[in-house]
Amino acid sequence: MGLPGPLVKKLTAQGISEPTPIQSHAIPHALDGHDIMGLAQTGTGKTLAFGLPLVAGLMEQRGKPAPKTVRSLILAPTRELVGQIKDALIPLVAGTPIKVGMVVGGVGINPQINRLARGLDVLVATPGRLLDLLDRGALTLDQTRFLVLDEADQMLDLGFIHALRKIAGLLPAERQTMLFSATMPKQMEEIAASYLTHPKRVQVSPPGKAADKITQCVHFIAKAEKPNLLIELLDAHRDELALVFGRTKHGSDKLARRLEQAGYAVAAIHGNKSQGQRERALKAFRDGEVTVLVATDVAARGLDIPDVKHVYNYELPNVPENYVHRIGRTARAGRDGMAVAFCAPDEMGELKDIQKVMKLTIPVASGRAWEELPDPTAKPQGRKGPARGAKPGGGPRRRRRRGGGGGGSRAKAA
């Protein structure tokens, strides 16, 4: 593919000999100096798709970076993803003078300021902490010639749009930029226009498509019964790693305590946990000391733990694309995986949105779909009456079971 020989040898030493589709499409364009707009789901090899041409370009540069400068910048939405990108790049630059560093929130800023004082070839950062450091004068971006935005759509979801606009204004016009995203929301067009110049567009799997080896199912179950059903399903594979997704920080902690009482080795990660707590929880999960990890969507992107066999959507996400990212934590690197969703009455809207995005109907493991009913408090709208399930002002819908059926012991059939 035109990569430098020493870089190919490093890949061979890691057992990597064949590029993934996103790597095959992106790397040749990137090596030719083009800007890249890459659309691909997590778990498709995006880190090396931008990491390899980035390192190849740095290998051609002479001298050291000036103090308080970075030759290349990689922006990612979460601390976990920043750490994983750095860990993936370190073996590629081993034995070279190329220096890689990372900056994230949740840890002391002074050691990061001291590290940046010497200059870096590659800086991997979250946008918020990067702006903090720029405001303090700890670094400048006027010598940054390579820029990567990874999981750009999640950066928008997390509210980094203003930070990205500000960072864009601090970068040199003469640079190469690679933007990777799993989806293309409307705001992404604005970001792409701000950052990219005549980009080459590469896409390997359509947005909303999950890995082929993920077996999916849904349980229609009352909210109060979810903990019992989860424990019942987890009991069937106590020795296998399971990732459980909830919506809120408080709810995730509460569920983790419930599972701990049931005898599981469990940990929780979310935005209120310190960086050290999150890293310790992930390491314990990766090492098998913890077999159940309860997480909010902070963990949905970029986490590469190949041995995760089961993903539980204990609560369905508000953003349908996040379902795809959540279940993408299983079936990594060609393995099989199981994705189980729980759907309470007030989550039917989320389930329908998920199935619309994925262009499929998730098989039912137990229970029957909740039926939307008109709200008796809604005012009639002409002869047709109120829309099914609608409530003036966008209020919550009332739903009920269409017939019986519940999770309970029948879930074992899944």
Side-chain angles (χ1 to χ4, degrees):
M1 299 185 73
L3 291 167
L7 206 48
V8 175
K9 288 181 180 178
K10 292 178 187 297
L11 292 173
T12 303
Q14 295 181 54
I16 300 172
S17 57
E18 294 293 330
T20 67
I22 188 65
Q23 293 163 8
S24 295
H25 287 78
I27 289 174
H29 291 310
L31 288 174
D32 287 341
H34 294 288
D35 283 4
I36 303 293
M37 162 69 84
L39 286 171
Q41 300 298 337
T42 57
T44 53
K46 286 186 292 180
T47 302
L48 288 185
F50 62 74
L52 288 170
L54 178 64
V55 172
L58 290 170
M59 283 180 168
E60 296 177 358
Q61 296 191 9
R62 296 287 179 259
K64 296 179 179 181
K68 295 187 178 182
T69 68
V70 292
R71 285 176 165 169
S72 55
L73 174 65
I74 302 172
L75 292 175
T78 66
R79 309 170 201 169
E80 285 76 21
L81 187 53
V82 166
Q84 287 187 184
I85 293 170
K86 180 196 171 192
D87 290 344
L89 295 178
I90 292 297
L92 302 181
V93 302
T96 76
I98 296 173
K99 293 180 173 57
V100 179
M102 62 178 271
V103 295
V104 297
V107 295
I109 198 169
N110 289 330
Q112 296 176 355
I113 292 173
N114 294 336
R115 183 70 183 90
L116 289 168
R118 299 188 292 274
L120 286 170
D121 296 284
V122 185
L123 176 65
V124 195
T126 52
R129 178 47 63 95
L130 179 66
L131 278 182
D132 289 343
L133 290 160
L134 288 166
D135 290 343
R136 291 171 182 241
L139 79 158
T140 62
L141 300 179
D142 54 4
Q143 294 188 35
T144 302
R145 293 294 180 264
F146 298 93
L147 172 69
V148 177
L149 294 137
D150 193 20
E151 303 286 5
D153 50 348
Q154 195 191 13
M155 285 196 271
L156 296 185
D157 290 344
L158 294 175
F160 287 130
I161 180 71
H162 299 298
L164 292 177
R165 286 178 182 145
K166 187 172 181 179
I167 292 166
L170 301 174
L171 290 159
E174 296 273 335
R175 67 172 192 269
Q176 181 181 11
T177 304
M178 292 178 269
L179 184 152
F180 288 85
S181 182
T183 60
M184 271 300 285
K186 289 182 180 179
Q187 271 190 316
M188 189 61 66
E189 298 292 347
E190 178 194 339
I191 293 296
S194 300
Y195 278 93
L196 303 174
T197 303
H198 306 301
K200 296 291 184 180
R201 186 184 177 103
V202 294
Q203 180 173 339
V204 296
S205 63
K209 188 178 187 303
D212 294 332
K213 293 194 174 185
I214 301 176
T215 302
Q216 301 178 62
C217 69
V218 59
H219 296 269
F220 293 102
I221 183 166
K223 184 176 181 179
E225 293 301 317
K226 285 186 177 185
N228 293 333
L229 176 58
L230 178 62
I231 289 170
E232 181 180 329
L233 296 176
L234 289 173
D235 272 340
H237 54 82
R238 274 186 172 267
D239 295 330
E240 295 176 330
L241 299 187
L243 190 50
V244 181
F245 281 104
R247 279 189 187 174
T248 68
K249 303 165 188 175
H250 173 72
S252 297
D253 281 336
K254 183 178 178 181
L255 179 60
R257 289 193 297 269
R258 177 75 179 268
L259 294 175
E260 192 170 33
Q261 290 168 0
Y264 289 95
V266 60
I269 60 170
H270 51 67
N272 278 0
K273 299 284 188 181
S274 71
Q275 182 66 14
Q277 287 173 319
R278 286 158 72 162
E279 288 177 356
R280 286 192 295 274
L282 287 171
K283 184 179 187 304
F285 187 55
R286 211 175 258 115
D287 294 344
E289 297 169 11
V290 162
T291 55
V292 182
L293 185 66
V294 184
T296 56
D297 280 314
V298 72
R301 302 285 190 101
L303 284 188
D304 188 8
I305 302 175
D307 294 331
V308 174
K309 183 74 173 176
H310 308 267
V311 170
Y312 290 95
N313 279 277
Y314 183 79
E315 294 170 308
L316 296 180
N318 299 105
V319 180
E321 288 85 1
N322 282 355
Y323 173 87
V324 181
H325 306 315
R326 287 179 177 190
I327 70 174
R329 299 311 96 212
T330 188
R332 309 286 285 183
R335 295 171 171 84
D336 296 326
M338 184 76 187
V340 182
F342 292 178
C343 182
D346 61 351
E347 294 176 298
M348 274 301 294
E350 283 83 353
L351 180 64
K352 289 180 178 179
D353 290 343
I354 288 165
Q355 294 184 139
K356 182 178 179 182
V357 164
M358 298 189 72
K359 297 181 175 61
L360 58 79
T361 299
I362 299 173
V364 178
S366 71
R368 285 188 285 175
W370 305 95
E371 183 175 307
E372 298 179 6
L373 289 180
D375 188 337
T377 65
K379 294 180 179 179
Q381 300 175 3
R383 286 181 298 173
K384 293 182 180 180
R388 288 174 61 82
K391 183 176 180 180
R397 296 169 175 173
R398 294 177 67 254
R399 309 175 199 275
R400 72 168 184 186
R401 280 309 253 286
R402 188 194 310 141
S409 60
R410 273 194 261 179
K412 292 181 179 176

